[in-house]
Amino acid sequence: MASAPDEVGLRPGCRLCGSDRLYSVLDLGASPPCERFLTSAQLDEPEQTYPLHLRLCTDCLLAQIPPLISPEDTFTEYAYFSSYSTSWVAHSGAFVQDAIGRLGLGGDSFVVEVASNDGYLLQHVLAEGIRCLGVEPSVNVGAAARERGVPTETAFLNPESAAAVRAEHGPANLVVANNVYAHIPDVVGFTRGLRTLLADDGWVSIEVQYLATLLAGNQYDTIYHEHFQYYTVASAQRALAGGGLRLVDVERLTTHGGSIRLWARPAEIAGPPSERVIELLAEEKAAGLHERSGYQDFTDRVGLVRRNLLRFLLDAAEEGRRVVGYGAPGKANTLLNHCGIRPDLLPYTVDRNPYKHGRFTPGTRIPVHPPERIARDRPDFVLVLPWNLRTELTEQLRYVGEWGGRLVFPIPSLEIVDPVGFSVQDEVRSR
Ligand SMILES: [Zn+2]
């Protein structure tokens, strides 16, 4: 059956394998790009929205949304500075120590990080006396890295920019690409760029959100326009192979709600995959993730998250109880837009990143204030939008309990927590 012309426009084919057999997993309607926070002057201007529709390629298993916004639009002035999350900086320090030990890196090694942000990770490499270079597309974020002494080139990674970096600085023993593998529309070109940066006996380490935990944990707010694809181990293996790399090991991580760290090497020298790769592939297969069946009930579960959160906010408003937000991460904007939450239900949120202060959430136009505002206002409930930093934030927000306030976590399912009585054991039990 021939497709209608508008359907053809929406389905350009799989970005990895070109197949047109794309199966709808979750349709979140239309919303603005999640990092496009508005200034007060922009509140009177029109705001562009884009459809947000996750589909699965049933041939290569890459879950993807159409790349409707260009990375150039997103990253030229990017609002996310990694160093504002203390747990993220600590996580990166631990990774660097681990990589140095695992790969035997030393004074004559060279480490390149792609999408190096504000130098949050490479500062740990520098501290070990190892030569390093950041390749960061955002001008303002890269400038922050240079200010802290981390050498940083402003560039998008592709085979050409990678060749230029290699010609100037030499091949890398380790190329790190953390939390960027989902953000690039040209998966194959980016992967070839990683290979180009790499010495012939080098290692690539990639951290990326894990689609299996996204699905199992109802983490649908982590689907947004800047994340073009969502990986299982099976689809990541195929993506790496497309650029001449072979997956040799994989680790599961708790960061960003659930990620995987992929270790890959040039295909010619990689050798067979580890036991952990084989085990995770088997788990994915058992969960139905290598066919359609593992994706079929996601829409229903997401609908339940939305109804529970809205019911809570509507009841609180009805009872005259005050709810404010904590955090303004990009993913909050998928949740807020999908649920239709505006300042009548959530009068403001707060964030530690001063870039966002005085700005408004895209689409829903909720003001963002500095965190001190919460202690002044003493609200009844604080809706925690970066739910993935649950332990860190429950600790930080313990003071909310001093006036009887409660924390509300919307995902994986609505939960109301008294931060005074909170302990890590409680958290483990509630899982
Ligand atoms: Zn495909």
Side-chain angles (χ1 to χ4, degrees):
M1 197 177 83
S3 305
D6 58 340
E7 232 176 13
V8 172
L10 278 173
R11 296 186 184 196
C14 171
R15 276 197 303 288
L16 188 52
C17 76
S19 165
D20 61 358
R21 303 203 310 149
L22 296 180
Y23 163 72
S24 173
V25 175
L26 180 67
D27 186 352
L28 291 168
S31 56
C34 77
E35 290 291 350
R36 216 167 277 174
F37 286 78
L38 304 171
T39 61
S40 53
Q42 288 171 317
L43 293 179
D44 286 334
E45 295 170 8
E47 197 177 357
Q48 178 83 52
T49 63
Y50 301 82
L52 191 51
H53 192 167
L54 183 70
R55 295 186 176 94
L56 176 78
C57 173
T58 52
D59 286 315
C60 75
L61 299 175
L62 188 70
Q64 54 200 290
I65 64 166
L68 296 172
I69 58 169
S70 76
E72 285 81 0
D73 285 345
T74 306
F75 290 118
T76 305
E77 185 174 287
Y78 193 44
Y80 185 72
F81 290 79
S82 298
S83 294
Y84 285 110
S85 165
T86 43
S87 66
W88 189 242
V89 172
H91 167 80
S92 305
F95 163 75
V96 167
Q97 290 308 323
D98 176 67
I100 288 172
R102 178 182 178 123
L103 310 181
L105 301 177
D108 55 352
S109 303
F110 180 43
V111 176
V112 175
E113 189 188 11
V114 179
S116 49
N117 202 274
D118 59 6
Y120 71 102
L121 185 142
L122 289 178
Q123 63 181 345
H124 300 291
V125 177
L126 265 189
E128 296 296 327
I130 296 171
R131 192 162 65 93
C132 66
L133 179 73
V135 179
E136 165 57 44
S138 306
V139 176
N140 62 327
V141 178
R146 282 187 289 270
E147 271 167 38
R148 68 171 64 187
V150 175
T152 302
E153 302 260 3
T154 301
F156 284 93
L157 186 73
N158 54 42
E160 293 73 37
S161 65
V165 167
R166 184 185 171 119
E168 190 180 341
H169 301 273
N173 305 94
L174 169 63
V175 176
V176 181
N178 287 349
N179 302 298
V180 62
Y181 209 41
H183 294 68
I184 31 101
D186 180 7
V187 190
V188 177
F190 183 89
T191 310
R192 282 172 50 216
L194 293 176
R195 174 64 188 92
T196 302
L197 288 172
L198 197 63
D200 289 342
D201 61 349
W203 290 81
V204 172
S205 182
I206 295 173
E207 275 183 38
V208 71
Q209 191 187 15
Y210 190 29
L211 180 57
T213 43
L214 186 162
L215 293 168
N218 297 333
Q219 302 168 357
Y220 80 96
D221 57 341
T222 58
I223 298 166
Y224 42 77
H225 298 101
E226 290 84 346
H227 273 180
F228 301 123
Q229 51 269 333
Y230 303 79
Y231 296 94
T232 55
V233 173
S235 60
Q237 205 172 29
R238 289 193 176 120
L240 289 165
L245 295 168
R246 185 174 295 161
L247 180 67
V248 286
D249 197 12
V250 62
E251 298 169 61
R252 290 191 71 164
L253 309 169
T254 56
T255 45
H256 289 292
S259 304
I260 40 178
R261 179 180 293 145
L262 307 160
W263 291 94
R265 307 195 77 184
E268 312 81 61
I269 57 110
S274 71
E275 201 55 42
R276 289 197 287 197
V277 171
I278 293 161
E279 276 169 22
L280 263 189
L281 284 171
E283 266 182 46
E284 287 178 356
K285 197 167 167 39
L289 299 182
H290 294 177
E291 54 191 317
R292 278 189 194 193
S293 66
Y295 304 82
Q296 266 162 352
D297 67 343
F298 195 46
T299 292
D300 290 344
R301 289 189 283 121
V302 166
L304 187 62
V305 169
R306 178 176 184 269
R307 293 196 301 278
N308 285 339
L309 177 57
L310 277 176
R311 192 175 294 119
F312 164 78
L313 291 170
L314 292 167
D315 287 350
E318 208 62 46
E319 293 161 10
R321 311 240 251 168
R322 194 142 193 242
V323 189
V324 306
Y326 184 91
K331 63 170 165 280
N333 294 319
T334 293
L335 183 80
L336 296 170
N337 276 294
H338 173 246
C339 294
I341 296 167
R342 293 191 172 72
D344 61 322
L345 295 179
L346 196 70
Y348 65 84
T349 188
V350 302
D351 199 89
R352 288 174 74 186
N353 183 348
Y355 179 91
K356 295 180 181 173
H357 298 163
R359 293 181 192 244
F360 297 80
T361 57
T364 53
R365 298 164 173 233
I366 294 168
V368 184
H369 297 307
E372 296 73 34
R373 178 75 179 255
I374 289 181
R376 235 177 25 241
D377 285 356
R378 299 160 76 94
D380 299 296
F381 296 100
V382 175
L383 175 64
V384 182
L385 295 165
W387 48 261
N388 56 303
L389 304 175
R390 181 165 172 157
T391 307
E392 175 183 350
L393 292 182
T394 305
E395 196 62 48
Q396 270 179 34
L397 292 169
R398 196 181 285 276
Y399 66 89
V400 170
E402 287 169 13
W403 59 82
R406 297 285 183 270
L407 307 183
V408 181
F409 293 91
I411 285 176
S413 56
L414 191 87
E415 212 179 328
I416 299 171
V417 172
D418 176 359
V420 173
F422 171 82
S423 69
V424 176
Q425 279 71 27
D426 288 340
E427 197 209 343
V428 171
R429 256 201 304 279
S430 72
R431 273 178 188 161

